[in-house]
């Protein structure tokens, strides 16, 4: 069976959940081989083994993490040439998608982004045209490069004993185009990361003001979820832009997405419509969000959301 390369997403050795999801998917498609770039592998080793990385390609040369994105694409391109993998899986995050695009150019391969599932023959289900269409597509040229959305696959432990191989790549001047001069660690609150959370509760213009976002936070906390917001809410300054969900915000694909006081504009849908179960609370029965939902509540959010929070907290 062919190796399926998985680019590990980590911060100083803390492996992101999406990597475990990609390893699970990779083992369904072939033999998962993790590609590690940077420091902190010792911290991550057991986790990668637990989730089935039969092989780990280790690139720990500090130069590779001194520049933005391009070195990862250069390294993967070299591995594609040397190891002939069946496919390369990367997380469909901002960085992951940029790596995917650069890698596709370097290897002359096709690329599929915003993928939520991959079936036999590398037929991928993905969201295209800003989320307007769900397509099934297969790469016909080169090595399939597939950017998979976080939360699209349930991670399954499947212990392996990884064979480790040190790898490196010589960077070209172009790969050194953007040097990292400073790293600022974003403050981590109590809530899960928006793009990784299994539950996301988002508030929109209907919430009516920054102070009312407490209602959204309370509901999110009752479910152990993350808070999101529509652009109308972030543009109004009611919630930070880093929590915006949609075409020009974050893409989320949780198990449960609750849209509160959000109309369901196409640009908002683009960031959430591949969520597994979608619930909306909106006082307008004609709101377009109801075309998309699994469960809809027509009602005033100021009544419905606190009641829902209270009921959940009782359990
Ligand atoms: P509205 O459309 O105003 O909807 C508010 C909803 O709240 C209504 O349906 C109303 O019935 C309901 N409501 C009001 N009061 C209550 C109440 N008391 N109880 C229950 N329901 C109530 N938008 C994004 O979200 N993310 C993006 O990334 C994004 N990118 C964009 C990119 C471009 C290029 C453009 C042009 C637009 C983009 N937008 C984006 C904006 C998008 O088009 C919409 O304007 C926006 O999503 C609307 O936000 P909303 O649903 O919160 O507000």
């Amino acid at each position: 069976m062919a190796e399926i390369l998985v680019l590990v997403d980590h911060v100083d050795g803390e492996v992101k959940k999406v990597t475990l999801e990609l390893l699970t998917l990779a083992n369904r498609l072939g033999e998962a081989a993790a590609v590690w770039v940077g420091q902190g592998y010792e911290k991550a080793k057991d986790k990668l083994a637990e989730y089935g990385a039969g092989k780990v390609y280790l690139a720990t040369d500090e130069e590779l993490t001194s520049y933005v994105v391009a070195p990862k694409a250069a390294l993967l391109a070299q591995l594609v040439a040397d190891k002939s993998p069946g496919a390369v899986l990367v997380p469909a995050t901002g960085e992951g998608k940029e790596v995917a695009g650069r890698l596709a150019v370097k290897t002359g391969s096709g690329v599929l982004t915003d993928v939520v599932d991959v079936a036999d023959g590398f037929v991928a289900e993905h969201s295209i045209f800003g989320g307007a269409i769900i397509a099934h597509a297969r790469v016909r040229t080169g090595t399939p490069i597939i950017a998979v959305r976080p939360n699209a696959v349930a991670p399954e432990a499947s212990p392996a004993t990884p064979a480790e191989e040190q790898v490196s790549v010589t960077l070209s001047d172009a790969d050194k185009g953007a040097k990292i001069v400073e790293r600022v660690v974003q403050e981590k609150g109590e809530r899960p990361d928006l793009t990784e959370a299994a539950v996301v509760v988002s508030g929109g213009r209907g919430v009516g003001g920054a102070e009312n976002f407490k209602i959204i936070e309370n509901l999110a906390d009752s479910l152990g979820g993350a808070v999101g917001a529509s652009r109308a809410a972030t543009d109004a300054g009611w919630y930070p832009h880093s929590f915006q969900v949609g075409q020009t915000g974050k893409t989320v694909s949780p198990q449960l997405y609750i849209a509160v006081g959000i109309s369901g504009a196409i640009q908002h849908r683009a960031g959430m419509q591949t969520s597994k179960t979608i619930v909306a609370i909106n006082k307008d029965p004609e709101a377009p969000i109801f075309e998309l939902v699994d469960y809809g509540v027509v009602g005033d959010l100021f009544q419905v959301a606190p009641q829902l929070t209270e009921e959940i907290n009782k359990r």
Side-chain angles (χ1 to χ4, degrees), residues 13 36 39-46 58 164:
W36 180 274
Q39 309 304 310
Y41 173 64
E42 282 307 311
K43 220 196 279 182
K45 201 174 170 171
D46 291 348
L58 279 168
E164 293 162 8

Side-chain angles (χ1 to χ4, degrees), residues 203-208 229-235 238 244-250 257 259-272 281-290 297-304:
R205 203 195 307 270
V207 174
S230 73
R231 180 156 161 184
T234 58
D235 278 356
W238 300 344
Q244 184 183 310
V245 172
Q247 189 182 322
T248 44
K250 300 260 162 68
Y257 186 87
V260 186
I262 291 176
S263 62
I266 182 78
Q267 296 89 354
H268 187 78
R269 292 180 186 208
M272 47 65 73
I281 303 170
N282 196 304
K283 67 178 184 186
D284 175 8
E286 304 296 324
I289 190 83
F290 286 125
V297 183
V298 179
D300 184 351
L301 71 91
F302 294 101
Q303 288 176 6
V304 178

Side-chain angles (χ1 to χ4, degrees), residues 166-187:
Q166 288 286 343
V167 289
S168 193
V169 66
T170 306
L171 299 181
S172 68
D173 285 347
D175 295 330
K176 298 179 186 177
K179 189 165 173 56
I180 296 170
V181 291
E182 190 190 3
R183 287 175 204 273
V184 180
V185 181
Q186 228 178 6
E187 236 179 82

Side-chain angles (χ1 to χ4, degrees), residues 18 21-22 25 89-93 112-118 146-150 152-153:
V18 65
E21 297 164 7
L22 297 194
L25 183 59
L89 305 184
V90 300
T93 54
L112 296 167
T113 60
D114 291 319
V115 167
V116 290
D117 199 10
V118 185
I146 304 176
V148 184
R149 282 190 172 176
V153 179

